[in-house]
Amino acid sequence: MSRVRSNPNRPKKGQAIKVQPIRRLEDIRAIKRFLAGDPRNLAIFTLGINSALRASDLLRIRIDQVKGLRPGESFEVKEKKTGQYRRVMLNKVSHRAIQDWIQSVRDWEENDWLFPSRKSKGRLLVPTLTAMVKSWCRAINLAENYGSHTLRKTFGYQQRVTFGLGTAELMWIYNHSSERQTLSYLGIEQDEIRDVHWNAL
């Protein structure tokens, strides 16, 4: 009788493994270099870490929503989880990545998915994106747990830690019920508490 191996990454019943944000800017740059020859995946990664969209909403964007936009302009997304509409502004980096991807494909139709699957006529699915993000992170030797939700978390982590955006603003963006929930969601809470205890009086 063969023994079933336990998977250390499999959550226990009632628990879930949290994916991590990408914390270092040099790692973000390393993934972009890794994806430089793949305009579709570079566009997914770039828009994902610059928009705070859930993966399910990121992958449901259609070409006609973004094709004619300029930097600073926005498009509207109906969130799958909440049913609410949300506006997403394209910064220069996201705009460039999307335009490079659009220009690399000759036979777009206006209602096509922006991020189509390479194996079917449909769009990319969240489990596929999860596998992709894991592979990108492994490629640059990141060892924590990563997945499609990493892109959304990376947005918030970098906005707070690198650019100094307030927790209240991030709480509003994520539609969280408390600032503590936002800090915990981004993996910041424990870091900040540890730093406080390190300070000497």
Side-chain angles (χ1 to χ4, degrees):
M1 180 175 177
S2 62
R3 185 181 238 175
V4 178
R5 288 186 178 181
S6 62
N7 183 349
N9 288 326
R10 184 183 298 278
K12 296 178 181 178
K13 188 174 182 179
Q15 295 181 332
I17 292 179
K18 291 183 178 180
V19 300
Q20 300 300 314
I22 300 170
R23 291 178 169 82
R24 301 193 313 164
L25 291 176
E26 53 261 46
D27 291 331
I28 291 174
R29 290 191 286 266
I31 290 177
K32 286 185 175 182
R33 288 194 297 271
F34 178 73
L35 297 176
D38 189 332
R40 184 200 68 170
N41 290 353
L42 180 58
I44 293 171
F45 179 74
T46 304
L47 183 58
I49 65 172
N50 280 279
S51 67
L53 287 172
R54 294 180 180 87
S56 56
D57 299 324
L58 179 68
L59 298 180
R60 289 165 62 237
I61 299 171
R62 293 189 182 271
I63 183 70
D64 58 352
Q65 292 177 263
V66 298
K67 187 175 182 181
L69 295 181
R70 293 175 295 183
E73 294 182 334
S74 60
F75 62 99
E76 199 170 56
V77 172
K78 184 178 181 181
E79 295 181 329
K80 182 179 179 181
K81 183 174 181 178
T82 67
Q84 297 176 347
Y85 285 91
R86 182 179 158 203
R87 297 207 69 81
V88 179
M89 190 199 78
L90 286 183
N91 59 24
K92 290 181 179 180
V93 176
S94 296
H95 178 267
R96 181 73 268 157
I98 288 173
Q99 292 307 312
D100 286 347
W101 164 228
I102 289 173
Q103 292 168 17
S104 73
V105 179
R106 297 181 178 274
D107 56 349
W108 285 108
E109 294 185 11
E110 291 300 307
N111 204 39
D112 283 348
W113 299 110
L114 179 61
F115 301 124
S117 169
R118 288 172 177 156
K119 296 182 179 180
S120 70
K121 294 183 179 180
R123 59 182 172 82
L124 270 177
L125 300 178
V126 173
T128 303
L129 180 57
T130 292
M132 289 163 56
V133 173
K134 286 180 181 293
S135 71
W136 303 339
C137 291
R138 281 197 305 268
I140 65 162
N141 298 315
L142 293 181
E144 293 186 271
N145 192 55
Y146 300 96
S148 59
H149 214 50
T150 289
L151 305 183
R152 177 172 156 90
K153 286 190 172 187
T154 297
F155 167 87
Y157 183 91
Q158 296 300 337
Q159 288 297 326
R160 170 65 190 266
V161 174
T162 303
F163 301 109
L165 187 66
T167 312
E169 289 82 0
L170 286 170
M171 175 181 149
W172 183 84
I173 290 170
Y174 285 129
N175 197 25
H176 286 164
S177 59
S178 70
E179 293 189 7
R180 182 170 184 174
Q181 180 186 3
T182 300
L183 292 175
S184 177
Y185 174 81
L186 298 176
I188 293 174
E189 185 180 41
Q190 291 182 348
D191 292 343
E192 294 193 346
I193 291 173
R194 180 198 61 206
D195 291 343
V196 165
H197 288 295
W198 180 254
N199 293 336
L201 299 175

